């Protein structure tokens, strides 16, 4: 008998989503899912469309997935929307289109976020984004700050290695500031622990992701949350992001529940058996 209170908005799931949800163990739902959204360009290419259309459709997928996440009471959903490398490796026209799309998305969806009790947050080098983009981002965060359901974190201008380097610097500076006087470097370094670094990351206030999803079949982590996903399960689907929906999020959770999470130890027995999981490429 489950001791978990069922989410109050389950009736808003589609029939297909509900069929998958019923196969899940409500006591073993992930608390934090992180998604590498990939394949917008290939989705467009398959349809002989320009890449921009893939990104536009990808923004629609974001909203579908966020709303399903909120209906199942997922506490944390983090989406890799724009990497530090994107800025350098994409044509300027595409980067500025993505920036405009982000603003349009936020302005157009804040009401729906509020209707779904979703709070919007960000991680990444936000201060390096164009001023007007930062202003819209701040506005959307303020408008949704009082929501208590899913926290949607958009990783923007994000790179995990830079995050870790910044975190180590900040952690050492904090340790130094806590001492009564200057410490020799060796002693300062000896005081640095994993906990200090975790608490200096952008994600200090969140649990680490339990599940990372990557769309479009690529078997890479692409500098996303490298520290935080040390023990996460990884699920890769061939589906392109613009075709990804809440149903596919639930399928990924079903597969996650079949995994034996070991955390470096002996682990626990698997909780459920999948009906027909989407092709799983990475375990
Ligand atoms: C990868 O597609 C995806 C991105 C560049 C980031 C995701 C961006 C969106 C989903 C657009 C909207 C986002 C928000 C938050 C409104 P790709 O261009 O790398 O695809 P490809 O590998 O097939 O070329």
């Amino acid at each position: 008998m489950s001791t978990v209170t069922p989410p109050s908005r389950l009736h808003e799931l589609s029939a297909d989503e509900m069929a998958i949800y019923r196969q899940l163990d409500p006591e073993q739902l992930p608390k934090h899912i992180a998604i590498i959204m990939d394949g917008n360009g290939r989705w467009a290419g398959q349809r002989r469309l320009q890449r921009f259309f893939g990104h536009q459709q990808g923004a629609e997928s974001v909203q579908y997935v966020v709303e399903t996440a909120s209906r199942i009471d997922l506490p944390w959903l983090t989406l890799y929307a724009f990497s530090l490398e994107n800025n350098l490796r994409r044509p300027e026209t595409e980067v500025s289109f993505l920036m405009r799309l982000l603003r349009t998305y936020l302005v157009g969806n804040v009401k729906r976020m509020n209707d779904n009790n979703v709070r919007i947050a960000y991680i990444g080098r936000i201060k390096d984004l164009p001023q007007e983009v930062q202003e819209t981002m701040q506005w959307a965060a303020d408008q949704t700050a009082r929501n208590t359901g899913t926290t949607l974190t958009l990783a923007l201008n994000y790179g995990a290695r830079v995050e870790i380097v910044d975190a180590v610097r900040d952690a050492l500076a904090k340790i130094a500031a806590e001492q009564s006087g200057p410490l020799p470097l060796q002693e300062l370094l000896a005081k640095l622990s994993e906990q200090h670094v975790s608490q200096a990351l952008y994600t200090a206030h969140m649990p680490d992701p339990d599940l990372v999803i990557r769309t479009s079949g690529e078997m890479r982590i692409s500098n996303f949350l490298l520290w935080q996903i040390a023990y996460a399960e990884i699920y890769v689907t061939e589906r392109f992001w613009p075709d990804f929906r809440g149903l596919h999020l639930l399928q990924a959770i079903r597969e996650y529940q079949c995994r034996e999470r070991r955390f470096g130890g002996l682990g626990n027995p698997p909780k459920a058996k999948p009906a027909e999981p989407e092709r799983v490429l990475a375990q």
Side-chain angles (χ1 to χ4, degrees), residues 36-45 51-52 54-63 79-83 86 90 94 97-106 109 152 154-156 214-216 218 220 240-242:
I36 303 172
M37 307 182 286
D38 194 14
N40 294 353
R42 277 163 284 169
W43 181 92
R51 296 174 55 80
F52 305 99
H55 295 318
Q56 224 157 20
Q57 196 57 38
E60 301 274 322
S61 297
V62 169
Q63 196 56 29
L79 304 181
Y80 201 6
F82 195 70
S83 70
N86 282 159
R90 287 182 193 245
E94 184 166 339
F97 177 83
L98 282 167
M99 291 295 114
R100 275 203 310 280
L101 181 61
L102 173 65
R103 292 183 76 197
T104 311
Y105 171 78
L106 292 172
N109 286 289
L152 165 66
L154 298 176
L156 291 157
R214 181 165 189 148
T215 59
S216 93
E218 303 292 342
R220 285 188 294 279
F240 293 141
W241 176 252

Side-chain angles (χ1 to χ4, degrees), residues 190-261:
K191 286 186 183 289
L192 183 71
S193 67
E194 285 189 17
Q195 207 188 358
H196 285 115
V197 178
S198 292
Q199 286 173 356
L201 295 170
Y202 301 132
T203 52
H205 57 292
M206 307 179 191
D208 286 341
D210 307 291
L211 171 62
V212 177
I213 299 173
R214 181 165 189 148
T215 59
S216 93
E218 303 292 342
M219 308 285 258
R220 285 188 294 279
I221 291 299
S222 300
N223 203 16
F224 186 44
L225 300 176
L226 294 180
W227 178 283
Q228 298 87 337
I229 63 170
Y231 295 105
E233 294 296 323
I234 300 178
Y235 175 92
V236 178
T237 168
E238 300 267 351
R239 192 175 293 281
F240 293 141
W241 176 252
D243 286 331
F244 197 90
R245 296 286 176 271
L247 176 70
H248 308 117
L249 180 78
L250 293 166
Q251 285 174 345
I253 297 174
R254 183 175 63 186
E255 168 58 27
Y256 159 85
Q257 290 197 336
C258 295
R259 305 275 182 90
E260 187 181 348
R261 296 193 77 194

Side-chain angles (χ1 to χ4, degrees), residues 1-281:
M1 178 95 167
S2 171
T3 52
V4 175
T5 314
S8 59
R9 293 174 51 229
L10 279 184
H11 60 278
E12 294 177 35
L13 293 178
S14 69
D16 287 351
E17 288 175 330
M18 196 61 195
I20 309 263
Y21 185 84
R22 284 210 183 94
Q23 296 169 24
L24 303 181
D25 176 350
E27 308 216 22
Q28 300 293 330
L29 290 175
K31 297 205 167 19
H32 186 175
I33 298 180
I35 307 184
I36 303 172
M37 307 182 286
D38 194 14
N40 294 353
R42 277 163 284 169
W43 181 92
Q46 273 187 348
R47 290 160 179 77
R48 297 181 192 282
L49 297 169
Q50 286 185 298
R51 296 174 55 80
F52 305 99
F53 289 99
H55 295 318
Q56 224 157 20
Q57 196 57 38
E60 301 274 322
S61 297
V62 169
Q63 196 56 29
Y64 282 118
V65 170
V66 170
E67 292 188 15
T68 298
S70 79
R71 289 174 186 135
I72 63 165
D73 284 354
L74 178 73
W76 303 93
L77 175 67
T78 300
L79 304 181
Y80 201 6
F82 195 70
S83 70
L84 273 173
E85 292 76 21
N86 282 159
N87 227 341
L88 305 170
R89 301 212 181 120
R90 287 182 193 245
E92 210 185 302
T93 45
E94 184 166 339
V95 172
S96 58
F97 177 83
L98 282 167
M99 291 295 114
R100 275 203 310 280
L101 181 61
L102 173 65
R103 292 183 76 197
T104 311
Y105 171 78
L106 292 172
V107 170
N109 286 289
V110 153
K111 183 180 178 309
R112 285 177 70 162
M113 296 298 182
N114 284 332
D115 292 344
N116 285 279
N117 198 19
V118 172
R119 190 164 67 99
I120 302 180
Y122 314 98
I123 55 173
R125 287 214 160 150
I126 306 303
K127 293 208 161 8
D128 294 340
L129 292 171
Q131 190 57 36
E132 66 279 11
V133 177
Q134 289 186 49
E135 282 166 15
T136 308
M137 288 167 59
Q138 186 60 51
W139 169 82
D142 292 345
Q143 293 291 311
T144 60
R146 277 182 291 279
N147 294 333
T148 55
T150 301
T151 297
L152 165 66
T153 304
L154 298 176
L156 291 157
N157 220 19
Y158 175 86
R161 288 185 173 180
V162 161
E163 178 189 24
I164 293 169
V165 172
D166 285 351
V168 172
R169 285 193 187 124
D170 290 352
L172 285 172
K174 186 162 177 256
I175 297 169
E178 283 164 2
Q179 309 307 310
S180 45
L183 273 192
L185 180 62
Q186 286 306 324
E187 281 182 46
L188 187 64
L189 294 178
K191 286 186 183 289
L192 183 71
S193 67
E194 285 189 17
Q195 207 188 358
H196 285 115
V197 178
S198 292
Q199 286 173 356
L201 295 170
Y202 301 132
T203 52
H205 57 292
M206 307 179 191
D208 286 341
D210 307 291
L211 171 62
V212 177
I213 299 173
R214 181 165 189 148
T215 59
S216 93
E218 303 292 342
M219 308 285 258
R220 285 188 294 279
I221 291 299
S222 300
N223 203 16
F224 186 44
L225 300 176
L226 294 180
W227 178 283
Q228 298 87 337
I229 63 170
Y231 295 105
E233 294 296 323
I234 300 178
Y235 175 92
V236 178
T237 168
E238 300 267 351
R239 192 175 293 281
F240 293 141
W241 176 252
D243 286 331
F244 197 90
R245 296 286 176 271
L247 176 70
H248 308 117
L249 180 78
L250 293 166
Q251 285 174 345
I253 297 174
R254 183 175 63 186
E255 168 58 27
Y256 159 85
Q257 290 197 336
C258 295
R259 305 275 182 90
E260 187 181 348
R261 296 193 77 194
R262 288 180 171 268
F263 298 102
L266 296 179
N268 297 310
K271 289 289 177 198
K273 283 263 171 282
E276 280 195 353
E278 186 148 342
R279 189 177 148 219
V280 175
L281 300 172

